[in-house]
Amino acid sequence: MKIKYFFTLFALVFIATVSAQKLSRTEKKIVSTIEKNNAEAIGFLEKVVNINSGTLNAAGVEKVGMVFKDAFDNIGFETTWIEMPEEMNRSGHLFAETTGSKGKKLLLIGHLDTVFEEDSPFQTFKIVNDSIAHAPGGNDMKGGDVIVLYALKALSDNGLLDDAQIIVAFTGDEESTGKPLSISRKDLIDAAKRSDIALGFETSTGFNYATVARRGASGWAVEVEGKRAHSSGIFSEGTGAGAIFEMSRILHEFYTDVKGEDLLTFNPGVLLGGTFVNYDELTSKGDAFGKTNVVAQKAVVKGGLRFISEEQKERARAKMREIVANNLPQTSASISFTDSYPAMKPTEGNLALLETLNEVSLDLKQGEVLAYDPGKRGAADVSFVAEYVDGLDGLGTMGSNAHTPQETVNLNTIEALTKRTAILIYRLINTK
């Protein structure tokens, strides 16, 4: 058994070594340029991390966008800052583009905003050791934006972007998407319709993984009305079950009858019930008033739904509507849904693109790249374009504890991931 194991291991190492010899002379120049620029790339990351760009800090998001705009201008891209309507309360988006007709037309997706607003105590980039830095939004996802920039810079420095169509789209509101989506994601979708492939640079889930599918996200809300009465009459024909019992029935049947499909999850995040209920959509806060001797007349639940396809989403919604309609005595209930992110399905085109990335990684001696479990990934901007192009995501930086005050970015992997990105882009723009 051991002999077989070591033979297999030797074979894998031999294959990887032979494969690594496939880098062309031009590709080796790209790799060399990235190595020379790596310290500059990390310095650039520190600079943009130290500019607060919480989603609601529109001025800060734009300031980060302008730093990237100047950098893309310097490598020959045509840049545009796209403002969002003032009433949307969101910053704009940065687009940078080269035009041409050679090879695959690429859309590279990132975002400028973070979850850390101006009042967050976590604001600055700080080196922890030779490989790790604490960085608010450095992992999610300014590090991914820097990988895009410095991969393209290496290609530009070597004169390799001539006659290639590449659109870089850095949105300003990914962490809390502006509504309506028909406005906030219009430019991204329009860019996808002019492209063949989309590459998303959200946080990497591991050095040897990429994302071929992401679940979509949808909101749901249930409102229940009961008959207000003295609690001594509960369960009687005239008083019925009350709003809280009816809400409990609904949630229990969601759990028993809707749960079960692979990659389908739903979560009730807020629950209020009593005689009077108030809920503020903007702040996700509320309060309830009731007494133990009064049958509850109102109950509200707000939740989220995750799904791998539109078909799965609609099946779940149909079951939920059916359950909500089957009311206990003297109660009524309604359910509503709000769309947020569509699903990115694991298509054959996405899997073929993963194989191309895998070949690049092996040629760079970086090991095999596998598809990451979509059940462990949240929604992202790449989902909005999945209907129109083949795509991959999770190509950004590695790190830990994203969205928390302990967020880190792994500085040692930036160079390798930038090499992988640059060679992938180079091969795609030279493929018919």
Side-chain angles (χ1 to χ4, degrees), residues 104-110 141 144 148 151-152 166-170 188 195-202 210-211 344 350 353-354 356-357 381-382 385 389-396 420-426 428-429:
K104 299 296 184 184
K105 299 174 182 178
L106 305 184
L107 172 60
L108 312 181
I109 303 172
M141 67 164 286
V148 172
L152 293 173
I166 298 175
I167 303 172
V168 178
F170 287 173
L188 183 65
S195 304
D196 300 315
I197 289 170
L199 302 176
F201 289 83
E202 281 282 1
T211 300
M344 174 188 182
N350 295 356
L353 193 53
L354 175 66
T356 301
L357 177 66
D381 275 337
V382 71
V385 305
V389 288
D390 295 329
L392 289 177
D393 202 2
L395 304 180
R420 189 186 288 177
T421 295
I423 302 301
L424 176 63
I425 292 172
Y426 174 72
L428 291 173
I429 62 176

mmCIF file of all heavy atoms in Angstrom, residues 104-110 141 144 148 151-152 166-170 188 195-202 210-211 344 350 353-354 356-357 381-382 385 389-396 420-426 428-429:
data_model
loop_
_atom_site.group_PDB
_atom_site.id
_atom_site.type_symbol
_atom_site.label_atom_id
_atom_site.label_comp_id
_atom_site.label_asym_id
_atom_site.label_seq_id
_atom_site.Cartn_x
_atom_site.Cartn_y
_atom_site.Cartn_z
ATOM 1 N N LYS A 104 -10.777 36.196 -26.055
ATOM 2 C CA LYS A 104 -11.980 36.289 -25.240
ATOM 3 C C LYS A 104 -12.122 37.700 -24.663
ATOM 4 O O LYS A 104 -11.145 38.338 -24.283
ATOM 5 C CB LYS A 104 -11.933 35.284 -24.090
ATOM 6 C CG LYS A 104 -11.861 33.825 -24.526
ATOM 7 C CD LYS A 104 -13.119 33.403 -25.275
ATOM 8 C CE LYS A 104 -13.075 31.916 -25.614
ATOM 9 N NZ LYS A 104 -14.250 31.499 -26.425
ATOM 10 N N LYS A 105 -13.367 38.153 -24.604
ATOM 11 C CA LYS A 105 -13.668 39.458 -24.012
ATOM 12 C C LYS A 105 -13.960 39.240 -22.530
ATOM 13 O O LYS A 105 -14.854 38.489 -22.170
ATOM 14 C CB LYS A 105 -14.865 40.088 -24.715
ATOM 15 C CG LYS A 105 -14.630 40.323 -26.202
ATOM 16 C CD LYS A 105 -15.899 40.806 -26.891
ATOM 17 C CE LYS A 105 -15.666 40.983 -28.386
ATOM 18 N NZ LYS A 105 -16.915 41.403 -29.086
ATOM 19 N N LEU A 106 -13.198 39.938 -21.683
ATOM 20 C CA LEU A 106 -13.220 39.653 -20.252
ATOM 21 C C LEU A 106 -13.876 40.768 -19.444
ATOM 22 O O LEU A 106 -13.701 41.950 -19.739
ATOM 23 C CB LEU A 106 -11.798 39.446 -19.730
ATOM 24 C CG LEU A 106 -10.944 38.386 -20.424
ATOM 25 C CD1 LEU A 106 -9.611 38.251 -19.705
ATOM 26 C CD2 LEU A 106 -11.664 37.047 -20.492
ATOM 27 N N LEU A 107 -14.578 40.355 -18.391
ATOM 28 C CA LEU A 107 -15.133 41.259 -17.390
ATOM 29 C C LEU A 107 -14.542 40.846 -16.045
ATOM 30 O O LEU A 107 -14.731 39.721 -15.597
ATOM 31 C CB LEU A 107 -16.662 41.140 -17.354
ATOM 32 C CG LEU A 107 -17.393 41.883 -16.233
ATOM 33 C CD1 LEU A 107 -17.137 43.389 -16.295
ATOM 34 C CD2 LEU A 107 -18.894 41.593 -16.289
ATOM 35 N N LEU A 108 -13.813 41.751 -15.403
ATOM 36 C CA LEU A 108 -13.155 41.490 -14.128
ATOM 37 C C LEU A 108 -13.884 42.277 -13.043
ATOM 38 O O LEU A 108 -13.983 43.504 -13.123
ATOM 39 C CB LEU A 108 -11.681 41.899 -14.185
ATOM 40 C CG LEU A 108 -10.892 41.408 -15.414
ATOM 41 C CD1 LEU A 108 -9.443 41.865 -15.335
ATOM 42 C CD2 LEU A 108 -10.967 39.886 -15.547
ATOM 43 N N ILE A 109 -14.383 41.579 -12.029
ATOM 44 C CA ILE A 109 -15.314 42.178 -11.070
ATOM 45 C C ILE A 109 -14.704 42.284 -9.677
ATOM 46 O O ILE A 109 -14.153 41.308 -9.145
ATOM 47 C CB ILE A 109 -16.616 41.353 -10.996
ATOM 48 C CG1 ILE A 109 -17.258 41.253 -12.378
ATOM 49 C CG2 ILE A 109 -17.590 41.969 -9.998
ATOM 50 C CD1 ILE A 109 -18.447 40.300 -12.433
ATOM 51 N N GLY A 110 -14.829 43.467 -9.093
ATOM 52 C CA GLY A 110 -14.426 43.694 -7.706
ATOM 53 C C GLY A 110 -15.378 44.675 -7.059
ATOM 54 O O GLY A 110 -16.361 45.097 -7.663
ATOM 55 N N MET A 141 -12.869 43.500 -0.029
ATOM 56 C CA MET A 141 -12.063 42.758 -0.971
ATOM 57 C C MET A 141 -11.043 43.641 -1.692
ATOM 58 O O MET A 141 -10.785 43.482 -2.874
ATOM 59 C CB MET A 141 -12.944 42.026 -1.971
ATOM 60 C CG MET A 141 -13.705 42.930 -2.910
ATOM 61 S SD MET A 141 -14.385 42.082 -4.370
ATOM 62 C CE MET A 141 -12.921 41.800 -5.357
ATOM 63 N N GLY A 144 -8.362 41.741 -3.466
ATOM 64 C CA GLY A 144 -8.725 41.216 -4.789
ATOM 65 C C GLY A 144 -8.630 42.285 -5.857
ATOM 66 O O GLY A 144 -8.195 42.021 -6.991
ATOM 67 N N VAL A 148 -6.206 42.317 -9.319
ATOM 68 C CA VAL A 148 -6.643 42.684 -10.673
ATOM 69 C C VAL A 148 -5.730 43.756 -11.247
ATOM 70 O O VAL A 148 -5.218 43.641 -12.385
ATOM 71 C CB VAL A 148 -8.101 43.200 -10.651
ATOM 72 C CG1 VAL A 148 -8.491 43.767 -12.013
ATOM 73 C CG2 VAL A 148 -9.055 42.082 -10.263
ATOM 74 N N ALA A 151 -2.054 42.464 -11.859
ATOM 75 C CA ALA A 151 -1.994 41.493 -12.958
ATOM 76 C C ALA A 151 -2.068 42.222 -14.295
ATOM 77 O O ALA A 151 -1.291 41.936 -15.229
ATOM 78 C CB ALA A 151 -3.140 40.499 -12.825
ATOM 79 N N LEU A 152 -2.984 43.178 -14.398
ATOM 80 C CA LEU A 152 -3.118 43.943 -15.639
ATOM 81 C C LEU A 152 -1.911 44.852 -15.863
ATOM 82 O O LEU A 152 -1.485 45.068 -17.006
ATOM 83 C CB LEU A 152 -4.408 44.761 -15.610
ATOM 84 C CG LEU A 152 -5.699 43.938 -15.637
ATOM 85 C CD1 LEU A 152 -6.908 44.831 -15.423
ATOM 86 C CD2 LEU A 152 -5.833 43.172 -16.955
ATOM 87 N N ILE A 166 -10.995 44.235 -22.307
ATOM 88 C CA ILE A 166 -11.064 43.906 -20.889
ATOM 89 C C ILE A 166 -11.824 45.027 -20.188
ATOM 90 O O ILE A 166 -11.472 46.199 -20.323
ATOM 91 C CB ILE A 166 -9.664 43.763 -20.277
ATOM 92 C CG1 ILE A 166 -8.891 42.627 -20.949
ATOM 93 C CG2 ILE A 166 -9.772 43.505 -18.766
ATOM 94 C CD1 ILE A 166 -7.456 42.507 -20.477
ATOM 95 N N ILE A 167 -12.864 44.663 -19.463
ATOM 96 C CA ILE A 167 -13.630 45.628 -18.675
ATOM 97 C C ILE A 167 -13.429 45.300 -17.201
ATOM 98 O O ILE A 167 -13.695 44.182 -16.765
ATOM 99 C CB ILE A 167 -15.132 45.573 -19.007
ATOM 100 C CG1 ILE A 167 -15.375 45.802 -20.501
ATOM 101 C CG2 ILE A 167 -15.893 46.618 -18.181
ATOM 102 C CD1 ILE A 167 -16.812 45.559 -20.926
ATOM 103 N N VAL A 168 -12.932 46.269 -16.458
ATOM 104 C CA VAL A 168 -12.820 46.134 -15.004
ATOM 105 C C VAL A 168 -13.994 46.877 -14.391
ATOM 106 O O VAL A 168 -14.211 48.058 -14.669
ATOM 107 C CB VAL A 168 -11.495 46.723 -14.488
ATOM 108 C CG1 VAL A 168 -11.424 46.616 -12.967
ATOM 109 C CG2 VAL A 168 -10.301 46.028 -15.136
ATOM 110 N N ALA A 169 -14.767 46.187 -13.555
ATOM 111 C CA ALA A 169 -15.931 46.793 -12.907
ATOM 112 C C ALA A 169 -15.773 46.660 -11.399
ATOM 113 O O ALA A 169 -15.871 45.563 -10.845
ATOM 114 C CB ALA A 169 -17.217 46.113 -13.359
ATOM 115 N N PHE A 170 -15.497 47.784 -10.730
ATOM 116 C CA PHE A 170 -15.403 47.821 -9.271
ATOM 117 C C PHE A 170 -16.632 48.564 -8.756
ATOM 118 O O PHE A 170 -16.734 49.789 -8.868
ATOM 119 C CB PHE A 170 -14.135 48.542 -8.815
ATOM 120 C CG PHE A 170 -12.854 47.773 -9.015
ATOM 121 C CD1 PHE A 170 -11.627 48.377 -8.768
ATOM 122 C CD2 PHE A 170 -12.858 46.455 -9.439
ATOM 123 C CE1 PHE A 170 -10.436 47.685 -8.936
ATOM 124 C CE2 PHE A 170 -11.677 45.744 -9.630
ATOM 125 C CZ PHE A 170 -10.457 46.364 -9.370
ATOM 126 N N LEU A 188 -23.141 46.927 -14.722
ATOM 127 C CA LEU A 188 -22.449 45.647 -14.628
ATOM 128 C C LEU A 188 -23.047 44.643 -15.603
ATOM 129 O O LEU A 188 -22.321 43.930 -16.318
ATOM 130 C CB LEU A 188 -22.541 45.120 -13.196
ATOM 131 C CG LEU A 188 -21.809 43.818 -12.895
ATOM 132 C CD1 LEU A 188 -20.313 43.995 -13.052
ATOM 133 C CD2 LEU A 188 -22.146 43.330 -11.482
ATOM 134 N N SER A 195 -19.348 40.875 -23.042
ATOM 135 C CA SER A 195 -18.200 40.052 -22.663
ATOM 136 C C SER A 195 -18.470 38.579 -22.913
ATOM 137 O O SER A 195 -19.604 38.167 -23.139
ATOM 138 C CB SER A 195 -17.873 40.275 -21.179
ATOM 139 O OG SER A 195 -17.650 41.640 -20.890
ATOM 140 N N ASP A 196 -17.388 37.788 -22.856
ATOM 141 C CA ASP A 196 -17.488 36.332 -22.991
ATOM 142 C C ASP A 196 -17.325 35.628 -21.654
ATOM 143 O O ASP A 196 -17.910 34.563 -21.424
ATOM 144 C CB ASP A 196 -16.397 35.811 -23.938
ATOM 145 C CG ASP A 196 -16.492 36.390 -25.333
ATOM 146 O OD1 ASP A 196 -17.613 36.444 -25.872
ATOM 147 O OD2 ASP A 196 -15.444 36.798 -25.870
ATOM 148 N N ILE A 197 -16.510 36.209 -20.780
ATOM 149 C CA ILE A 197 -16.140 35.558 -19.520
ATOM 150 C C ILE A 197 -16.104 36.596 -18.415
ATOM 151 O O ILE A 197 -15.634 37.724 -18.618
ATOM 152 C CB ILE A 197 -14.755 34.885 -19.642
ATOM 153 C CG1 ILE A 197 -14.841 33.646 -20.557
ATOM 154 C CG2 ILE A 197 -14.177 34.505 -18.284
ATOM 155 C CD1 ILE A 197 -13.499 33.068 -20.934
ATOM 156 N N ALA A 198 -16.577 36.216 -17.233
ATOM 157 C CA ALA A 198 -16.484 37.075 -16.048
ATOM 158 C C ALA A 198 -15.613 36.385 -15.005
ATOM 159 O O ALA A 198 -15.783 35.195 -14.729
ATOM 160 C CB ALA A 198 -17.868 37.356 -15.475
ATOM 161 N N LEU A 199 -14.696 37.144 -14.436
ATOM 162 C CA LEU A 199 -13.850 36.653 -13.355
ATOM 163 C C LEU A 199 -14.080 37.530 -12.133
ATOM 164 O O LEU A 199 -13.905 38.750 -12.193
ATOM 165 C CB LEU A 199 -12.368 36.699 -13.759
ATOM 166 C CG LEU A 199 -11.976 35.919 -15.012
ATOM 167 C CD1 LEU A 199 -10.500 36.138 -15.333
ATOM 168 C CD2 LEU A 199 -12.277 34.431 -14.851
ATOM 169 N N GLY A 200 -14.487 36.913 -11.029
ATOM 170 C CA GLY A 200 -14.758 37.652 -9.803
ATOM 171 C C GLY A 200 -13.615 37.476 -8.812
ATOM 172 O O GLY A 200 -13.086 36.377 -8.634
ATOM 173 N N PHE A 201 -13.249 38.556 -8.143
ATOM 174 C CA PHE A 201 -12.073 38.545 -7.270
ATOM 175 C C PHE A 201 -12.435 38.728 -5.800
ATOM 176 O O PHE A 201 -11.696 39.320 -5.027
ATOM 177 C CB PHE A 201 -11.063 39.583 -7.762
ATOM 178 C CG PHE A 201 -10.420 39.155 -9.047
ATOM 179 C CD1 PHE A 201 -11.057 39.378 -10.264
ATOM 180 C CD2 PHE A 201 -9.236 38.469 -9.046
ATOM 181 C CE1 PHE A 201 -10.499 38.942 -11.461
ATOM 182 C CE2 PHE A 201 -8.667 38.017 -10.226
ATOM 183 C CZ PHE A 201 -9.297 38.254 -11.443
ATOM 184 N N GLU A 202 -13.620 38.159 -5.444
ATOM 185 C CA GLU A 202 -13.970 38.085 -4.035
ATOM 186 C C GLU A 202 -12.960 37.196 -3.300
ATOM 187 O O GLU A 202 -12.196 36.446 -3.914
ATOM 188 C CB GLU A 202 -15.383 37.507 -3.877
ATOM 189 C CG GLU A 202 -16.490 38.503 -4.132
ATOM 190 C CD GLU A 202 -16.716 39.442 -2.949
ATOM 191 O OE1 GLU A 202 -15.991 39.332 -1.941
ATOM 192 O OE2 GLU A 202 -17.625 40.274 -3.053
ATOM 193 N N ALA A 210 -11.421 27.486 -6.374
ATOM 194 C CA ALA A 210 -12.094 28.590 -7.058
ATOM 195 C C ALA A 210 -13.593 28.294 -7.041
ATOM 196 O O ALA A 210 -14.017 27.153 -6.833
ATOM 197 C CB ALA A 210 -11.596 28.742 -8.493
ATOM 198 N N THR A 211 -14.371 29.319 -7.260
ATOM 199 C CA THR A 211 -15.826 29.206 -7.153
ATOM 200 C C THR A 211 -16.464 29.110 -8.530
ATOM 201 O O THR A 211 -16.329 30.023 -9.337
ATOM 202 C CB THR A 211 -16.395 30.422 -6.403
ATOM 203 O OG1 THR A 211 -15.826 30.460 -5.089
ATOM 204 C CG2 THR A 211 -17.907 30.358 -6.313
ATOM 205 N N MET A 344 -25.703 31.752 -9.162
ATOM 206 C CA MET A 344 -24.700 31.421 -10.185
ATOM 207 C C MET A 344 -24.617 29.900 -10.236
ATOM 208 O O MET A 344 -24.066 29.262 -9.342
ATOM 209 C CB MET A 344 -23.350 32.025 -9.811
ATOM 210 C CG MET A 344 -22.190 31.633 -10.713
ATOM 211 S SD MET A 344 -20.615 32.234 -9.993
ATOM 212 C CE MET A 344 -19.454 31.701 -11.262
ATOM 213 N N ASN A 350 -18.540 27.156 -16.867
ATOM 214 C CA ASN A 350 -17.785 27.515 -15.657
ATOM 215 C C ASN A 350 -16.755 26.443 -15.321
ATOM 216 O O ASN A 350 -15.618 26.749 -14.937
ATOM 217 C CB ASN A 350 -18.733 27.694 -14.479
ATOM 218 C CG ASN A 350 -19.685 28.856 -14.645
ATOM 219 O OD1 ASN A 350 -19.610 29.600 -15.612
ATOM 220 N ND2 ASN A 350 -20.593 29.007 -13.705
ATOM 221 N N LEU A 353 -13.837 26.625 -17.638
ATOM 222 C CA LEU A 353 -12.988 27.744 -17.253
ATOM 223 C C LEU A 353 -12.128 27.380 -16.045
ATOM 224 O O LEU A 353 -10.945 27.765 -15.953
ATOM 225 C CB LEU A 353 -13.862 28.952 -16.947
ATOM 226 C CG LEU A 353 -13.205 30.327 -16.802
ATOM 227 C CD1 LEU A 353 -12.351 30.666 -18.006
ATOM 228 C CD2 LEU A 353 -14.275 31.378 -16.587
ATOM 229 N N LEU A 354 -12.697 26.615 -15.114
ATOM 230 C CA LEU A 354 -11.929 26.132 -13.972
ATOM 231 C C LEU A 354 -10.764 25.267 -14.431
ATOM 232 O O LEU A 354 -9.658 25.352 -13.878
ATOM 233 C CB LEU A 354 -12.836 25.334 -13.034
ATOM 234 C CG LEU A 354 -12.139 24.665 -11.848
ATOM 235 C CD1 LEU A 354 -11.586 25.699 -10.880
ATOM 236 C CD2 LEU A 354 -13.102 23.722 -11.126
ATOM 237 N N THR A 356 -9.136 25.540 -17.213
ATOM 238 C CA THR A 356 -8.110 26.444 -17.734
ATOM 239 C C THR A 356 -7.302 27.043 -16.590
ATOM 240 O O THR A 356 -6.070 27.118 -16.647
ATOM 241 C CB THR A 356 -8.756 27.571 -18.565
ATOM 242 O OG1 THR A 356 -9.487 26.998 -19.646
ATOM 243 C CG2 THR A 356 -7.703 28.523 -19.123
ATOM 244 N N LEU A 357 -7.985 27.479 -15.528
ATOM 245 C CA LEU A 357 -7.296 28.020 -14.352
ATOM 246 C C LEU A 357 -6.413 26.954 -13.715
ATOM 247 O O LEU A 357 -5.284 27.241 -13.289
ATOM 248 C CB LEU A 357 -8.322 28.526 -13.342
ATOM 249 C CG LEU A 357 -7.747 29.059 -12.017
ATOM 250 C CD1 LEU A 357 -6.923 30.313 -12.257
ATOM 251 C CD2 LEU A 357 -8.863 29.333 -11.022
ATOM 252 N N ASP A 381 -21.404 39.898 -6.539
ATOM 253 C CA ASP A 381 -21.750 40.596 -7.781
ATOM 254 C C ASP A 381 -21.667 39.710 -9.025
ATOM 255 O O ASP A 381 -22.391 39.940 -9.996
ATOM 256 C CB ASP A 381 -20.837 41.813 -7.970
ATOM 257 C CG ASP A 381 -21.343 43.045 -7.227
ATOM 258 O OD1 ASP A 381 -22.554 43.105 -6.948
ATOM 259 O OD2 ASP A 381 -20.536 43.947 -6.949
ATOM 260 N N VAL A 382 -20.782 38.702 -9.008
ATOM 261 C CA VAL A 382 -20.673 37.842 -10.179
ATOM 262 C C VAL A 382 -22.005 37.154 -10.492
ATOM 263 O O VAL A 382 -22.290 36.816 -11.649
ATOM 264 C CB VAL A 382 -19.547 36.796 -9.987
ATOM 265 C CG1 VAL A 382 -19.945 35.747 -8.963
ATOM 266 C CG2 VAL A 382 -19.139 36.156 -11.304
ATOM 267 N N VAL A 385 -24.243 38.529 -13.295
ATOM 268 C CA VAL A 385 -23.855 38.373 -14.711
ATOM 269 C C VAL A 385 -23.807 36.918 -15.138
ATOM 270 O O VAL A 385 -23.533 36.624 -16.301
ATOM 271 C CB VAL A 385 -22.489 39.049 -14.977
ATOM 272 C CG1 VAL A 385 -22.529 40.514 -14.546
ATOM 273 C CG2 VAL A 385 -21.345 38.334 -14.268
ATOM 274 N N VAL A 389 -22.719 35.143 -19.079
ATOM 275 C CA VAL A 389 -21.345 34.735 -19.396
ATOM 276 C C VAL A 389 -20.920 33.560 -18.522
ATOM 277 O O VAL A 389 -21.466 33.340 -17.444
ATOM 278 C CB VAL A 389 -20.340 35.896 -19.167
ATOM 279 C CG1 VAL A 389 -20.481 36.967 -20.230
ATOM 280 C CG2 VAL A 389 -20.499 36.500 -17.773
ATOM 281 N N ASP A 390 -19.913 32.822 -18.999
ATOM 282 C CA ASP A 390 -19.256 31.847 -18.143
ATOM 283 C C ASP A 390 -18.423 32.613 -17.119
ATOM 284 O O ASP A 390 -17.951 33.726 -17.390
ATOM 285 C CB ASP A 390 -18.343 30.944 -18.968
ATOM 286 C CG ASP A 390 -19.116 30.089 -19.961
ATOM 287 O OD1 ASP A 390 -20.273 29.732 -19.657
ATOM 288 O OD2 ASP A 390 -18.565 29.796 -21.034
ATOM 289 N N GLY A 391 -18.220 32.014 -15.941
ATOM 290 C CA GLY A 391 -17.493 32.762 -14.930
ATOM 291 C C GLY A 391 -16.874 31.914 -13.842
ATOM 292 O O GLY A 391 -17.207 30.745 -13.648
ATOM 293 N N LEU A 392 -15.945 32.542 -13.144
ATOM 294 C CA LEU A 392 -15.343 32.007 -11.926
ATOM 295 C C LEU A 392 -15.321 33.119 -10.896
ATOM 296 O O LEU A 392 -15.274 34.295 -11.236
ATOM 297 C CB LEU A 392 -13.897 31.548 -12.178
ATOM 298 C CG LEU A 392 -13.645 30.301 -13.007
ATOM 299 C CD1 LEU A 392 -12.144 30.090 -13.169
ATOM 300 C CD2 LEU A 392 -14.294 29.077 -12.369
ATOM 301 N N ASP A 393 -15.296 32.745 -9.635
ATOM 302 C CA ASP A 393 -15.164 33.729 -8.564
ATOM 303 C C ASP A 393 -14.227 33.159 -7.506
ATOM 304 O O ASP A 393 -13.708 32.048 -7.642
ATOM 305 C CB ASP A 393 -16.534 34.065 -7.976
ATOM 306 C CG ASP A 393 -16.554 35.410 -7.255
ATOM 307 O OD1 ASP A 393 -15.516 36.104 -7.245
ATOM 308 O OD2 ASP A 393 -17.597 35.767 -6.694
ATOM 309 N N GLY A 394 -14.006 33.949 -6.447
ATOM 310 C CA GLY A 394 -13.106 33.519 -5.391
ATOM 311 C C GLY A 394 -11.654 33.560 -5.798
ATOM 312 O O GLY A 394 -10.829 32.796 -5.283
ATOM 313 N N LEU A 395 -11.301 34.479 -6.712
ATOM 314 C CA LEU A 395 -9.936 34.571 -7.226
ATOM 315 C C LEU A 395 -9.114 35.623 -6.489
ATOM 316 O O LEU A 395 -7.992 35.919 -6.887
ATOM 317 C CB LEU A 395 -9.962 34.896 -8.725
ATOM 318 C CG LEU A 395 -10.761 33.925 -9.600
ATOM 319 C CD1 LEU A 395 -10.712 34.369 -11.061
ATOM 320 C CD2 LEU A 395 -10.235 32.503 -9.459
ATOM 321 N N GLY A 396 -9.672 36.192 -5.421
ATOM 322 C CA GLY A 396 -9.005 37.275 -4.712
ATOM 323 C C GLY A 396 -8.025 36.795 -3.667
ATOM 324 O O GLY A 396 -7.528 35.665 -3.703
ATOM 325 N N ARG A 420 -1.056 33.961 -11.029
ATOM 326 C CA ARG A 420 -2.093 33.070 -11.547
ATOM 327 C C ARG A 420 -3.125 33.859 -12.352
ATOM 328 O O ARG A 420 -3.544 33.437 -13.443
ATOM 329 C CB ARG A 420 -2.771 32.338 -10.382
ATOM 330 C CG ARG A 420 -3.712 31.232 -10.807
ATOM 331 C CD ARG A 420 -4.444 30.652 -9.599
ATOM 332 N NE ARG A 420 -3.579 29.849 -8.757
ATOM 333 C CZ ARG A 420 -3.974 29.278 -7.615
ATOM 334 N NH1 ARG A 420 -5.216 29.443 -7.175
ATOM 335 N NH2 ARG A 420 -3.142 28.554 -6.898
ATOM 336 N N THR A 421 -3.524 35.008 -11.825
ATOM 337 C CA THR A 421 -4.508 35.847 -12.514
ATOM 338 C C THR A 421 -3.967 36.372 -13.835
ATOM 339 O O THR A 421 -4.646 36.342 -14.864
ATOM 340 C CB THR A 421 -4.921 37.026 -11.614
ATOM 341 O OG1 THR A 421 -5.597 36.515 -10.468
ATOM 342 C CG2 THR A 421 -5.837 37.988 -12.344
ATOM 343 N N ALA A 422 -2.741 36.877 -13.816
ATOM 344 C CA ALA A 422 -2.156 37.472 -15.021
ATOM 345 C C ALA A 422 -1.994 36.446 -16.139
ATOM 346 O O ALA A 422 -2.317 36.726 -17.304
ATOM 347 C CB ALA A 422 -0.809 38.104 -14.689
ATOM 348 N N ILE A 423 -1.507 35.250 -15.807
ATOM 349 C CA ILE A 423 -1.338 34.217 -16.833
ATOM 350 C C ILE A 423 -2.696 33.748 -17.351
ATOM 351 O O ILE A 423 -2.873 33.505 -18.552
ATOM 352 C CB ILE A 423 -0.520 33.031 -16.292
ATOM 353 C CG1 ILE A 423 0.860 33.497 -15.811
ATOM 354 C CG2 ILE A 423 -0.366 31.957 -17.371
ATOM 355 C CD1 ILE A 423 1.701 34.174 -16.880
ATOM 356 N N LEU A 424 -3.671 33.622 -16.455
ATOM 357 C CA LEU A 424 -5.024 33.254 -16.901
ATOM 358 C C LEU A 424 -5.567 34.290 -17.878
ATOM 359 O O LEU A 424 -6.084 33.932 -18.953
ATOM 360 C CB LEU A 424 -5.958 33.134 -15.698
ATOM 361 C CG LEU A 424 -7.429 32.851 -16.010
ATOM 362 C CD1 LEU A 424 -7.592 31.503 -16.704
ATOM 363 C CD2 LEU A 424 -8.275 32.922 -14.739
ATOM 364 N N ILE A 425 -5.471 35.569 -17.533
ATOM 365 C CA ILE A 425 -5.956 36.625 -18.432
ATOM 366 C C ILE A 425 -5.208 36.576 -19.754
ATOM 367 O O ILE A 425 -5.819 36.661 -20.833
ATOM 368 C CB ILE A 425 -5.795 38.005 -17.768
ATOM 369 C CG1 ILE A 425 -6.754 38.139 -16.583
ATOM 370 C CG2 ILE A 425 -6.038 39.125 -18.778
ATOM 371 C CD1 ILE A 425 -6.534 39.386 -15.743
ATOM 372 N N TYR A 426 -3.890 36.434 -19.692
ATOM 373 C CA TYR A 426 -3.078 36.398 -20.914
ATOM 374 C C TYR A 426 -3.530 35.273 -21.837
ATOM 375 O O TYR A 426 -3.686 35.474 -23.051
ATOM 376 C CB TYR A 426 -1.602 36.226 -20.555
ATOM 377 C CG TYR A 426 -0.703 36.025 -21.758
ATOM 378 C CD1 TYR A 426 -0.418 37.075 -22.630
ATOM 379 C CD2 TYR A 426 -0.159 34.765 -22.023
ATOM 380 C CE1 TYR A 426 0.396 36.875 -23.737
ATOM 381 C CE2 TYR A 426 0.651 34.560 -23.130
ATOM 382 C CZ TYR A 426 0.928 35.614 -23.984
ATOM 383 O OH TYR A 426 1.720 35.417 -25.102
ATOM 384 N N LEU A 428 -6.473 33.727 -21.874
ATOM 385 C CA LEU A 428 -7.845 33.927 -22.346
ATOM 386 C C LEU A 428 -7.926 34.952 -23.461
ATOM 387 O O LEU A 428 -8.678 34.785 -24.424
ATOM 388 C CB LEU A 428 -8.753 34.331 -21.178
ATOM 389 C CG LEU A 428 -9.018 33.252 -20.131
ATOM 390 C CD1 LEU A 428 -9.796 33.840 -18.952
ATOM 391 C CD2 LEU A 428 -9.768 32.072 -20.744
ATOM 392 N N ILE A 429 -7.158 36.044 -23.357
ATOM 393 C CA ILE A 429 -7.218 37.076 -24.401
ATOM 394 C C ILE A 429 -6.468 36.658 -25.657
ATOM 395 O O ILE A 429 -6.492 37.369 -26.670
ATOM 396 C CB ILE A 429 -6.717 38.447 -23.916
ATOM 397 C CG1 ILE A 429 -5.255 38.395 -23.502
ATOM 398 C CG2 ILE A 429 -7.606 38.962 -22.785
ATOM 399 C CD1 ILE A 429 -4.665 39.744 -23.106
#
